[in-house]
Amino acid sequence: AGSVWPDLFWPVFGAGVALGAWLSTRIAPHRDRRWLLAGAYLLQASGIALGMLWPSPAGFALGSLLLGLPFTAITFFALQEARHQWPQSAAGFTGLLTALYGIGQIAGPPMAAALLAQAGSRAQGFAWALGVAGSVLVLGAGLYAFMAWRWPK
């Protein structure tokens, strides 16, 4: 209460998004996008973990930046990989990705609300929700890394 940091989340996050979008377009086209996606997921998971493990203005700012950096890059890399894997179906795959993203956006708030309702405090419920989000990102990174390892280019 009384902190200005919640108001600064979006500008710091947005700066990370802008920087990440610019950096992602500078990556060589021959790089395996699955490894890039795994790294982007881990970067976001690190941003979540940092905010939880270092609950201070500096931890919050750095965590917000780490969440923003790969935000648009994830979509960029996923669409590039879709065009690479299924060139004749890339448009349909883009629609599928958009629908799945929408489902995640719809399912997330009720899941967080359920965790908040079950927790002993709001802080504990929020920590649980962040833990689930970070865990899902780590799982996704592991899946991309496995695919890149198992089926190299």
Side-chain angles (χ1 to χ4, degrees):
S3 174
V4 298
W5 280 104
D7 294 334
L8 296 177
F9 167 79
W10 289 112
V12 174
F13 178 83
V17 170
L19 179 60
W22 181 77
L23 289 172
S24 66
T25 63
R26 304 308 188 257
I27 294 174
H30 70 277
R31 300 283 308 267
D32 189 332
R33 296 303 188 226
R34 296 167 300 177
W35 285 114
L36 295 173
L37 283 161
Y41 278 33
L42 290 176
L43 198 59
Q44 282 198 324
S46 298
I48 291 170
L50 189 61
M52 293 173 66
L53 298 173
W54 191 17
S56 67
F60 185 79
L62 188 54
S64 298
L65 187 66
L66 291 176
L67 280 170
L69 276 171
F71 191 76
T72 56
I74 288 171
T75 303
F76 181 59
F77 297 151
L79 292 177
Q80 285 181 330
E81 185 62 19
R83 281 193 305 271
H84 172 75
Q85 294 291 333
W86 305 283
Q88 69 282 7
S89 303
F93 192 75
T94 299
L96 177 62
L97 286 177
T98 303
L100 290 172
Y101 182 81
I103 290 168
Q105 292 297 303
I106 292 167
M111 183 271 311
L115 291 171
L116 281 166
Q118 296 298 316
S121 69
R122 293 183 76 190
Q124 183 184 37
F126 191 63
W128 287 353
L130 289 175
V132 169
S135 297
V136 170
L137 285 165
V138 170
L139 176 65
L143 289 171
Y144 276 121
F146 173 76
M147 288 188 294
W149 169 78
R150 176 65 181 89
W151 298 285
K153 282 192 164 189

